């Protein structure tokens, strides 16, 4: 049977090439996703653990939760330097440092803007840094900058560099440009080196270090050195080897990379699901065309079991061939993904093809064809040989009473009901219910697509007849000739469009919500913020703004640890005279002017949750201080608002309880309104500090919504590959259909239909299939996006459904364009049919 299956594969290699291609596409996406994920994970691990091999031991103080960061003193560093086997003990200082280019634009990623100390040994060099130009800073007037940041900012040795830290901004002379490893500088970040004394002044205290790096003398046993070091260091500190630090960093990087790998595998599963329809459709057509051949084998003595084994063995052989090709192509796809999504923080890395990936790809590529071939093979075996020898199996049209239709309708109704329940009930498991309901709804819709193909084609028929009476009518008839085939082809496209449409609805709705939430409540011109991990702003940060003529400003001084009426609360101190012009307070009870009388204003959600009313006096306690406050106003606010606080208080009230509040942001309104000159004046008044961001409304909007756009772009790119698979499925189906209809096409040519007419007919068929899949997928995607978004309305005030008509239309147009492109080769083959040979064929 194996020899027979092999001969059949070789005899039908042209037909089976379609199947090989279909399987290869699915395996390609799986392999590409796994290789890309593994490559990124390995690259992240390598980057995170790089550089720790130069560290023999690292000594760091034990941190206490809630307490200020612990440090080590210079005496500990000196003691460690005297330990036998220690070649050097370098005290390290780390903190935040923002450096800007000459135009004031910040360099490096927000999470990785760091400052540190240059700690030279007796030879004047620091083993952590290799200088490309110049040297390390030796006084408080100079800094050194990493190579990438210096190049991006256009800085050379001797230039003046503006650096912002937690204490403010200063200008320094650039003494050198260096290279370093990931233990000091994360990819995409920036690193500024100060001399030892300056770094301690900026980040800690004189004579204090964040940690101490120990370099062992050659030939020193690490275990013995660790024991000697542990006997010297303070009891509240820990010594670990560089190898241990590398493993810790590698584990953290591996954990972070797992999320992206899971997303990639999820999209691979989607693409595989899409490819399943393509493979099943191809096998169905192949088996259908070989019905008479299979019947002849049965007639000469082969049993059903033997014929079934031959066909399934063929599918295994096809799967193995396709799997090998898919592994090679998938590795190329992974390389393409790396080039598309590479960035400064995630550069290209060597491709990693693990044995597990090869095994998974081979299993998927061989099992999938067997599963896809099982149903058509079983259906072909059910036809009596005598009937099969007379004619090929006629297509089985879908009808309202078929089992497939009943199951599809049941799944569709059950899924829609579950989705509606999850959207409207909105309990804790709503999203899980909606996800399950959406899967059932889409599955049911796929089951009903063959039935839908007839009314859908009838709906478009008048338009087709107006556009091209003859060709449109022929295309419409061909489309509904085999509804199951049409439905399976359109289903692959529907899955990709459903996911893309759902993401578009959620993305557009979230973007509009964030757009409103970030700028709706700000009536001032600018918002001053400190980057994450950067300068800790205080009320004093805003004082230089007094120099701005005609400007109105107010810091938002956040103070915590309050018990107001027994409820844990946060107070935000503001300037009562200015805040009404800077933030939009929609007062529902009382008056905002009461802030000037020492009263507080409370957000409505906070007041409702605790039963507070205007005029009510509440006891206040913070640490060992006590007092009383009166509610003077209640205002409407979104709990997720960027600027409107839960409790607004006059800054004088906050100062009574907390002399050092944290300034969360500063709102500024300039005399002439927003503009380039006004922005420059605010930046200059704040000391040209790179550690402070001065944002107008457009910049706020772009900053808060950019993350969603970036993620959607990645998801769209991944879904685009599923769309390519679906389009190739249309090409595959049309090509096989042309083979089946050679005699019919030859007859049409003989009756006067020219080559251009045949081409037009095939293209219209492709567009009908594409339109059906796009319509079903878009409707399902919008429905699911609405349901998921509806669960957010209870917890996210102001969230509303947004239908991105332009993006949805673009998705449909891309689907139609893909279908049209997919029809080019089949249409060309159909137009090239030899009329005498085709009409003479049996």
């Amino acid at each position: 049977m194996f020899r027979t299956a092999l001969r059949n594969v070789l005899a039908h290699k042209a037909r089976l090439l379609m199947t090989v291609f279909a399987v290869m596409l699915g395996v390609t996406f799986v392999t590409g996703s796994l290789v890309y994920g593994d490559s990124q994970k390995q690259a992240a691990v390598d980057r995170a653990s790089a550089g720790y091999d130069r560290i023999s031991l690292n000594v760091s103080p034990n941190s206490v939760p809630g307490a200020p960061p612990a440090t080590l003193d210079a005496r500990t560093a000196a003691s460690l330097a005297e330990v036998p086997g220690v070649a050097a003990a370098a005290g390290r200082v780390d903190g935040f440092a923002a450096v800007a280019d000459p135009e004031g634009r910040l360099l490096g990623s927000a999470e990785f803007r760091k400052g540190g100390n240059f700690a030279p040994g007796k030879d004047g060099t620091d083993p952590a840094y290799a200088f490309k130009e110049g040297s390390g800073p030796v006084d408080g007037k100079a800094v050194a900058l990493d190579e990438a940041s210096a190049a991006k900012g256009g800085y050379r040795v001797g230039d003046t560099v503006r650096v912002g830290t937690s204490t403010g901004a200063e200008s320094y002379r650039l003494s050198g440009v260096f290279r370093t490893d990931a233990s000091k500088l994360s990819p995409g970040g920036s690193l500024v080196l100060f001399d030892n004394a300056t770094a301690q002044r900026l980040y800690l205290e004189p004579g204090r270090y964040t940690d101490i790096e120990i370099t062992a003398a050659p030939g020193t046993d690490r275990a013995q050195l660790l024991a000697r070091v542990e006997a010297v260091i303070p009891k509240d500190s820990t010594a670990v080897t560089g190898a241990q630090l590398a493993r810790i960093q590698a584990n953290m990087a591996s954990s972070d990379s797992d999320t992206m790998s899971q997303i990639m595998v999820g999209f691979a599963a989607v693409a595989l699901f899409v490819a399943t329809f393509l493979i099943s459709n191809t096998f169905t057509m192949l088996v259908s065309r070989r019905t008479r051949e299979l019947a002849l084998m049965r007639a000469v003595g082969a049993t059903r079991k033997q014929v079934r084994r031959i066909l399934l063995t063929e599918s295994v052989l096809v799967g193995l061939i396709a799997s090998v090709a898919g592994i090679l192509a998938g590795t190329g796809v992974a390389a393409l993904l790396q080039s598309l999504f590479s960035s400064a923080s995630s550069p290209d890395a060597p491709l990693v093809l693990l044995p597990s990936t090869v095994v998974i790809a081979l299993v998927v590529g061989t099992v999938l064809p067997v599963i896809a071939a099982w149903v058509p093979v079983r259906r072909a075996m059910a036809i009596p040989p005598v009937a099969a020898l007379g004619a090929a199996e006629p297509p089985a049209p879908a009808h309202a009473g078929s089992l497939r239709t009943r199951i599809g309708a049941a799944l569709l109704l059950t899924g829609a009901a579950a989705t509606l329940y999850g959207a409207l009930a909105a309990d804790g498991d709503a999203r899980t219910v909606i996800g399950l309901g959406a899967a059932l709804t889409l599955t049911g819709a796929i089951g009903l697509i063959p039935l839908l193909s007839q009314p859908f084609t009838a709906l478009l028929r008048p338009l087709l007849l107006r556009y091209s009476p003859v060709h449109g009518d022929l295309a419409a008839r061909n489309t509904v000739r085999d509804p199951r085939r049409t439905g399976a082809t359109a289903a692959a496209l529907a899955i990709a469009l459903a996911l893309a449409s759902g993401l578009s609805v959620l993305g557009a709705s979230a973007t509009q919500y964030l757009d409103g939430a970030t700028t709706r409540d700000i009536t001032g011109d600018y918002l001053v913020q400190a980057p994450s991990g950067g300068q800790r702003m205080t009320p004093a940060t805003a004082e230089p703004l007094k120099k701005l003529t005609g400007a109105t400003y107010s810091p938002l001084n956040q103070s915590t640890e309050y018990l107001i009426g027994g409820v844990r609360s946060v107070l935000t101190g503001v300037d009562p005279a200015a805040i009404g012009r800077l933030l939009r307070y929609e007062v529902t009870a009382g008056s905002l002017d009461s802030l000037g009388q020492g009263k507080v204003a409370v957000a409505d959600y906070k007041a409702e949750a605790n039963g507070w009313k205007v005029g009510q006096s509440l006891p206040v306690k913070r640490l060992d201080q006590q007092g009383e406050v009166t509610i003077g106003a209640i205002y409407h606010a979104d709990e997720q608002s960027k600027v409107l606080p839960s409790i607004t208080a006059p800054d004088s009230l906050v100062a009574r309880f907390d002399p050092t509040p944290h300034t969360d942001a500063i709102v500024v309104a300039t005399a002439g309104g927003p503009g380039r000159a006004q922005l420059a004046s605010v930046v200059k008044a704040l000391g040209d500090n790179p550690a402070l961001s001065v944002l107008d409304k457009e910049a706020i909007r772009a900053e808060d919504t950019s993350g969603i756009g970036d993620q959607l772009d990645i998801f769209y790119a991944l879904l685009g590959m599923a769309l390519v698979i679906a389009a190739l499925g249309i090409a595959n189906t049309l090509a096989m259909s042309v083979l089946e209809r050679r005699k019919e096409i030859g007859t049409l040519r003989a009756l006067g239909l020219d080559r251009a007419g045949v081409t037009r007919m095939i293209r219209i068929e492709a567009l009908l299939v594409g339109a059906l899949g796009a319509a079903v997928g878009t409707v399902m995607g919008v429905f699911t996006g609405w349901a998921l978004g509806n669960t957010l309305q209870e917890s996210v005030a102001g969230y509303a459904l947004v239908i991105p008509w332009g993006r949805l239309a673009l998705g449909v147009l891309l689907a139609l364009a893909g279908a049209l492109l997919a029809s080019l080769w089949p249409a060309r083959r159909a137009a090239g049919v030899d009329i005498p040979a085709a009409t003479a064929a049996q």
Side-chain angles (χ1 to χ4, degrees):
M1 282 185 292
F2 179 80
R3 288 196 300 270
T4 302
L6 183 59
R7 282 197 299 268
N8 284 335
V9 168
L10 296 176
H12 299 97
K13 52 182 176 294
R15 298 178 187 176
L16 289 174
L17 184 62
M18 297 284 189
T19 311
V20 170
F21 193 54
V23 177
M24 187 193 75
L25 289 173
V27 175
T28 294
F29 202 109
V30 171
T31 305
S33 298
L34 292 175
V35 170
Y36 177 76
D38 291 338
S39 301
Q40 291 299 301
K41 183 176 181 177
Q42 186 61 52
V45 168
D46 291 343
R47 289 194 299 267
S49 58
Y52 289 96
D53 53 350
R54 65 172 175 77
I55 301 174
S56 302
L57 298 174
N58 182 273
V59 179
S60 59
N62 297 330
S63 300
V64 178
T71 59
L72 297 170
D73 57 24
R75 288 178 296 180
T76 301
S79 300
L80 289 172
E82 300 300 324
V83 171
V86 173
R92 298 296 181 190
V93 180
D94 297 312
F96 171 83
V99 58
D101 65 12
E103 301 298 323
R105 294 182 293 266
L106 287 178
L107 302 176
S109 302
E111 311 95 295
F112 308 120
R113 296 184 181 121
K114 296 182 178 180
N117 65 319
F118 176 66
K122 296 178 181 179
D123 60 354
T125 63
D126 188 331
Y129 309 104
F131 278 84
K132 178 184 177 183
E133 299 176 32
S135 60
V138 294
D139 57 42
K141 297 180 180 180
V143 295
L145 194 59
D146 69 275
E147 181 181 12
S149 298
K152 188 174 180 180
Y155 289 119
R156 300 184 64 84
V157 173
D159 290 346
T160 299
V161 180
R162 190 76 172 169
V163 181
T165 63
S166 57
T167 60
E170 298 181 49
S171 295
Y172 300 88
R173 176 180 53 83
L174 186 62
S175 66
V177 176
F178 60 86
R179 296 189 183 98
T180 188
D181 51 54
S183 68
K184 294 300 178 186
L185 177 63
S186 300
S190 63
L191 178 60
V192 181
L193 292 183
F194 304 91
D195 72 286
N196 199 55
T198 302
Q200 290 176 333
R201 172 178 62 83
L202 292 174
Y203 298 125
L204 303 174
E205 296 175 358
R208 309 297 298 186
Y209 296 104
T210 305
D211 55 64
I212 300 172
E213 293 177 357
I214 295 175
T215 302
T220 302
D221 182 87
R222 298 296 172 88
Q224 295 179 359
L225 180 61
L226 178 60
R228 290 195 290 266
V229 166
E230 288 179 333
V232 174
I233 61 177
K235 294 182 180 180
D236 58 350
S237 58
T238 303
V240 297
T241 64
Q244 288 176 309
L245 286 176
R247 284 195 296 271
I248 292 172
Q249 295 298 320
N251 290 336
M252 292 173 60
S254 176
S255 177
D256 292 340
S257 298
D258 284 341
T259 301
M260 186 60 187
S261 297
Q262 291 168 2
I263 293 174
M264 293 293 297
V265 171
F267 278 98
V270 171
L272 203 58
F273 189 43
V274 172
T276 302
F277 287 93
L278 193 161
I279 297 166
S280 178
N281 216 20
T282 304
F283 266 106
T284 299
M285 290 184 288
L286 284 172
V287 173
S288 177
R289 283 188 58 80
R290 295 172 61 189
T291 302
R292 296 181 66 185
E293 172 192 330
L294 300 176
L296 182 60
M297 294 176 64
R298 295 271 307 282
V300 297
T303 65
R304 289 186 179 184
K305 190 174 182 180
Q306 288 175 322
V307 176
R308 185 182 298 114
R309 284 182 180 176
I310 290 172
L311 291 175
L312 294 180
T313 302
E314 288 180 29
S315 68
V316 171
L317 291 173
V318 168
L320 287 173
I321 296 170
S323 298
V324 174
I327 291 172
L328 297 175
T331 305
V333 168
L336 177 62
L337 289 173
Q338 280 197 338
S339 63
L340 289 175
F341 300 141
S342 64
S343 62
S345 59
S346 180
D348 287 341
L351 293 178
V352 176
L353 179 61
L354 298 177
S356 59
T357 299
V358 176
V359 172
I360 291 172
L362 289 173
V363 170
V364 168
T366 52
V367 172
L368 195 61
V370 173
I371 295 174
W374 180 261
V375 173
V377 168
R378 184 177 179 182
R379 188 182 300 149
M381 292 301 97
I383 303 174
V386 174
L389 284 171
E393 178 191 6
H399 55 84
S402 69
L403 178 62
R404 174 187 179 126
T405 302
R406 291 198 297 270
I407 294 175
L411 290 175
L412 179 66
L413 293 175
T414 303
T419 304
L420 287 172
Y421 172 79
L424 300 177
D427 56 18
D429 297 325
R431 294 186 183 97
T432 302
V433 173
I434 290 173
L436 178 61
L440 292 176
T441 303
L442 185 58
T443 305
I446 291 171
L448 290 175
I449 281 183
L451 188 66
L452 295 174
S453 63
Q454 294 178 342
F456 183 82
T457 303
L459 181 66
L460 296 181
R461 191 184 187 90
L463 180 63
L464 297 177
L465 294 178
R466 178 177 297 181
Y467 166 69
S468 182
V470 175
H471 313 103
D473 182 61
L474 289 172
R477 290 174 183 272
N478 291 330
T479 301
V480 298
R481 174 183 296 181
D482 189 342
R484 285 183 175 176
R485 180 186 301 176
T486 300
T489 308
L493 197 59
I495 295 169
L497 261 294
L499 292 172
S501 301
L503 285 173
S504 295
V505 170
L506 286 174
S509 301
T511 299
Q512 176 171 289
Y513 163 73
L514 288 175
D515 185 12
T518 54
T519 60
R520 178 183 58 239
D521 300 327
I522 301 175
T523 54
D525 301 326
Y526 301 104
L527 191 69
V528 181
Q529 294 178 307
S532 174
Q535 176 176 351
R536 186 180 187 276
M537 295 196 300
T538 66
T541 306
E543 290 183 0
L545 295 173
K546 293 179 180 178
K547 298 179 293 184
L548 285 179
T549 305
T552 303
Y553 67 92
S554 175
L556 306 179
N557 300 319
Q558 199 171 84
S559 182
T560 60
E561 301 182 25
Y562 288 86
L563 282 177
I564 300 179
V567 178
R568 291 190 177 277
S569 304
V570 176
L571 290 185
T572 300
V574 300
D575 182 350
I579 198 63
R581 182 187 169 189
L582 302 171
L583 298 181
R584 179 177 284 107
Y585 282 88
E586 299 177 12
V587 178
T588 58
S591 172
L592 198 64
D593 293 338
S594 61
L595 292 174
Q597 303 167 12
K599 300 178 182 181
V600 299
V602 183
D604 51 3
Y605 62 84
K606 183 81 171 180
E608 290 171 9
N610 299 289
W612 294 345
K613 306 294 182 183
V614 170
Q616 184 176 355
S617 295
L618 299 170
V620 180
K621 181 178 180 181
R622 184 180 188 274
L623 302 179
D624 58 348
Q625 303 177 75
Q626 296 185 5
E628 188 178 77
V629 296
T630 301
I631 299 176
I634 293 177
Y635 54 89
H636 175 69
D638 182 355
E639 198 166 350
Q640 280 76 36
S641 174
K642 188 180 183 72
V643 291
L644 277 184
S646 58
I647 302 179
T648 305
D651 47 16
S652 57
L653 176 64
V654 170
R656 280 169 40 199
F657 291 91
D658 186 1
T660 59
H662 163 66
T663 298
D664 187 58
I666 305 169
V667 191
V668 185
T670 55
R676 181 174 298 182
Q678 288 81 355
L679 176 63
S681 64
V682 174
V683 171
K684 184 176 181 180
L686 291 171
D688 287 319
N689 189 346
L692 296 178
S693 298
V694 182
L695 308 174
D696 59 15
K697 291 184 180 180
E698 288 299 321
I700 297 171
R701 186 179 295 112
E703 183 179 82
D704 289 349
T705 58
S706 61
I708 292 180
D710 293 342
Q711 292 178 7
L712 285 178
D713 288 343
I714 294 175
F715 294 157
Y716 286 148
L718 295 173
L719 287 174
M721 300 189 72
L723 191 62
V724 170
I725 293 177
L728 291 172
I730 295 175
N732 201 3
T733 300
L734 289 174
M736 296 297 291
S737 177
V738 167
L739 286 175
E740 292 179 352
R741 292 155 49 195
R742 287 183 71 250
K743 183 174 183 178
E744 173 191 321
I745 294 172
T747 303
L748 290 173
R749 291 289 314 282
L751 292 175
L753 189 66
D754 59 7
R755 291 176 182 268
V758 173
T759 300
R760 180 177 296 181
M761 177 184 68
I762 299 298
R763 288 177 180 175
I764 294 176
E765 288 181 38
L767 288 174
L768 282 172
V769 174
L772 176 60
V776 173
T778 301
V779 171
M780 292 294 101
V782 171
F783 177 61
T784 305
W786 164 80
L788 288 172
N790 205 60
T791 63
L792 300 173
Q793 291 184 348
E794 290 290 329
S795 57
V796 182
Y799 180 93
L801 176 69
V802 175
I803 305 296
W805 297 108
R807 198 170 295 175
L808 295 178
L810 178 61
V812 172
L813 289 175
L814 287 175
L816 294 177
L820 190 61
L821 288 173
S823 70
L824 295 180
W825 179 60
R828 184 176 180 181
R829 290 199 63 180
V833 167
D834 182 76
I835 298 175
T839 53
Q842 298 296 321

